[in-house]
Amino acid sequence: MVDRSGVAPVTTSLLSRVMVGVLSLLAIGGCVITLAAFAYGRNAARQAYDRLLLGAAQDIAESVDIRSGAPVVDIPVSAFGLLALATDDRIGYAVHGPNGALITGHDRVRQPEPADARSAAPVYFDDRMQGEKARFVTVLRRFTERDFSGTVAVTVGQTLRARQAMAYELTRGAMLVTGLGGIALILSAYLVIRSAMRPLERMAEELIARDPYDLTPMTADGPAEVAVVAHAMNRFMQRLDRQVGAMKNLISDTAHQLRTPVAAIRAQTELALEDDPDQQPLRLERLVRRTRSLGELLDQMLSRALVIHRADNTPPEPMDLRDIALRVIEEQDHEVLAPGVEVELVIGDRAVMVMGDEISLCEAVKNMLANALRHGQAPIQVGVGVENGDAMIWVEDAGEGPPEEVLSRIGQRFERSAASSGNSAGLGLSIVKSVAGALDGSFRMERGASGFRATLALPLDTSGEQA
């Protein structure tokens, strides 16, 4: 977007936008990795310390012995050796008999639930110990002896400070590695994106350094996306070059072609003023003839400029060539050009569809018809048909056409045949060739058994039939 002063406003660059997107993705990924690392660290710490709790409880359970019909516990020192490494944590234990009676340990340690007491597997649970959160495990040992039968439950607990410290340490280590990796990824992403953007920067530098009148194609080196942009810009510059060329041709043609008729009109006017009254009707007749010729020249020049402009700016639409031929006949311009000459319309009952521009096609057919009326012989036909997969619209007269040496030059700008005698601007068939080129068609003139035919051939549009 450009403001009224012609200066482009400052906007964020494509590199910064991509980098912001990459950083956002990395930030989201970092948050996900942080949460995953913390969850992994907490789970690893829980598993490690749960094994220590289980080992201590099993050591205590193995130390239980039956004496005089009652369980006796001799707490081994090794049971709390590993747990004592967590110096900031408190440790509690309790050994309960079959009816829940406390054999030894702390009475504040919760007894196992009845459902837990029937399970042979260790039972882990969370509770509080002296106002702090703690983790406990209960291990059961069953006795079946003559003087004692029942189950002894051993419960060992520990506060969570060491676990949390281990989880935070694991998370911090993972975050350190992730952070270093993220920094490396950011630097790598910047270098890669910068390298990928370099072709666009070269293209911008080339455009800035170009002469404003240089519309030659740009090089399409680089990735496919850059090549697509370069191709689109080349197509745009080609269209612009054609538009500028058409404007230059119109200006130069106008300056070149109008000089002679305007000078002739001025001369005829001056002579009419100076001659005696008897010569004035002749001078006025020549003046009218020159004025009519100038009008035809201007009409054809404007028609050609219109056709070239519409070829680059009007998208083609599906249309029936029979409608084009019928419209040209119904407008009856040929009756003004050649009164009394009958023009026959030869079309079938089947549509002949093409992709084109109605105005341009009508101008082309009118100029083919005008050429036949001026230089051909009656009768004259305008026809539509299909031949070799192409749609045809043609104008045929009964004459033999121009000589071969003239036929090879017809269609060029301001090329007049000998039959025109200076009354034609030589632009009519040039307009037809321009329309053919704009619609990917062709224009040909040839002699046949019934006369001389000018044919505009266009690609046949079969999309409607397939649908």
Side-chain angles (χ1 to χ4, degrees):
M1 181 177 179
V2 179
D3 59 17
R4 294 183 178 180
S5 62
V7 179
V10 178
T11 57
T12 56
S13 65
L14 182 59
L15 176 61
S16 62
R17 292 184 181 184
V18 176
M19 285 302 301
V20 168
V22 171
L23 290 176
S24 300
L25 292 177
L26 289 177
I28 295 174
C31 294
V32 173
I33 292 175
T34 300
L35 295 176
F38 179 73
Y40 169 79
R42 186 173 60 177
N43 185 56
R46 167 172 285 191
Q47 290 182 3
Y49 279 91
D50 280 354
R51 289 190 180 96
L52 294 179
L53 281 177
L54 179 61
Q58 289 176 343
D59 286 346
I60 295 174
E62 292 296 329
S63 67
V64 177
D65 194 12
I66 304 300
R67 299 175 185 174
S68 303
V72 177
V73 182
D74 186 10
I75 304 297
V77 178
S78 62
F80 301 105
L82 294 176
L83 292 177
L85 295 177
T87 57
D88 294 335
D89 279 324
R90 295 184 177 89
I91 302 172
Y93 71 95
V95 180
H96 295 86
N99 19 347
L102 180 66
I103 299 174
T104 184
H106 305 91
D107 57 357
R108 291 186 297 273
V109 175
R110 183 172 68 86
Q111 299 183 29
E113 300 294 334
D116 298 337
R118 294 193 296 270
S119 176
V123 177
Y124 293 94
F125 60 93
D126 296 320
D127 205 346
R128 303 188 72 84
M129 181 188 297
Q130 297 180 4
E132 292 187 45
K133 292 181 179 180
R135 179 76 167 168
F136 295 86
V137 65
T138 297
V139 175
L140 303 180
R141 185 178 178 185
R142 293 184 176 85
F143 291 91
T144 307
E145 299 184 8
R146 180 179 300 175
D147 52 354
F148 181 83
S149 179
T151 301
V152 176
V154 178
T155 302
V156 178
Q158 184 184 30
T159 55
L160 306 180
R161 295 181 183 181
R163 295 169 179 256
Q164 294 174 350
M166 182 178 178
Y168 290 140
E169 186 67 25
L170 292 175
T171 303
R172 186 165 53 249
M175 286 304 301
L176 179 61
V177 175
T178 303
L180 294 176
I183 293 174
L185 285 177
I186 291 174
L187 294 176
S188 301
Y190 176 79
L191 294 176
V192 171
I193 295 172
R194 183 74 177 178
S195 176
M197 297 296 177
R198 186 57 189 163
L200 290 176
E201 295 177 0
R202 286 199 300 266
M203 182 183 299
E205 292 170 358
E206 181 181 348
L207 286 174
I208 292 174
R210 274 196 172 206
D211 186 273
Y213 301 99
D214 183 6
L215 297 177
T216 56
M218 299 179 59
T219 57
D221 298 335
E225 293 79 5
V226 177
V228 169
V229 175
H231 180 65
M233 294 189 66
N234 287 338
R235 290 184 58 187
F236 171 76
M237 288 193 293
Q238 289 175 0
R239 292 175 55 192
L240 185 60
D241 190 29
R242 286 196 299 268
Q243 294 287 344
V244 173
M247 181 180 65
K248 290 180 179 179
N249 288 333
L250 179 62
I251 294 174
S252 62
D253 294 344
T254 303
H256 178 267
Q257 295 297 320
L258 295 185
R259 185 179 293 112
T260 300
V262 170
I265 290 174
R266 184 177 61 187
Q268 292 292 340
T269 305
E270 292 175 351
L271 290 174
L273 293 175
E274 295 175 357
D275 282 346
D276 57 80
D278 295 336
Q279 293 294 327
Q280 284 185 356
L282 178 61
R283 298 297 182 190
L284 291 177
E285 181 182 354
R286 292 178 179 176
L287 184 60
V288 170
R289 189 164 56 248
R290 285 289 187 179
T291 305
R292 186 180 297 116
S293 175
L294 178 60
E296 293 177 358
L297 171 62
L298 290 175
D299 288 341
Q300 288 192 335
M301 291 177 66
L302 293 176
S303 296
R304 187 173 187 276
L306 174 65
V307 166
I308 295 175
H309 172 75
R310 293 185 66 86
D312 285 331
N313 295 276
T314 304
E317 298 178 351
M319 58 190 58
D320 190 351
L321 285 183
R322 299 179 306 168
D323 296 334
I324 301 297
L326 187 62
R327 176 178 171 179
V328 171
I329 297 300
E330 288 178 346
E331 289 184 0
Q332 299 180 349
D333 291 347
H334 58 280
E335 295 183 1
V336 178
L337 185 61
V341 177
E342 182 178 355
V343 178
E344 181 182 357
L345 184 63
V346 183
I347 57 176
D349 57 356
R350 185 174 180 179
V352 181
M353 302 300 297
V354 298
M355 294 295 295
D357 173 57
E358 183 178 5
I359 295 178
S360 299
L361 285 173
C362 286
E363 287 295 324
V365 177
K366 286 180 182 179
N367 280 279
M368 288 195 298
L369 179 58
N371 185 74
L373 291 171
R374 285 194 182 97
H375 313 304
Q377 298 179 9
I380 294 176
Q381 295 179 332
V382 178
V384 175
V386 178
E387 182 179 335
N388 297 327
D390 289 333
M392 306 286 185
I393 184 166
W394 48 267
V395 177
E396 183 177 276
D397 65 87
E400 297 182 357
E404 290 293 338
E405 62 273 10
V406 176
L407 187 61
S408 62
R409 300 193 306 269
I410 287 181
Q412 302 176 9
R413 288 187 304 131
F414 304 109
E415 178 62 38
R416 299 183 179 91
S417 64
S420 64
S421 303
N423 295 325
S424 173
L427 281 173
L429 299 183
S430 173
I431 294 174
V432 181
K433 291 189 68 175
S434 298
V435 173
L439 300 178
D440 296 327
S442 62
F443 173 61
R444 61 176 180 265
M445 304 179 72
E446 54 193 359
R447 296 182 181 88
S450 57
F452 185 77
R453 175 178 291 191
T455 304
L456 175 60
L458 300 173
L460 186 65
D461 179 27
T462 58
S463 58
E465 298 178 0
Q466 294 175 353

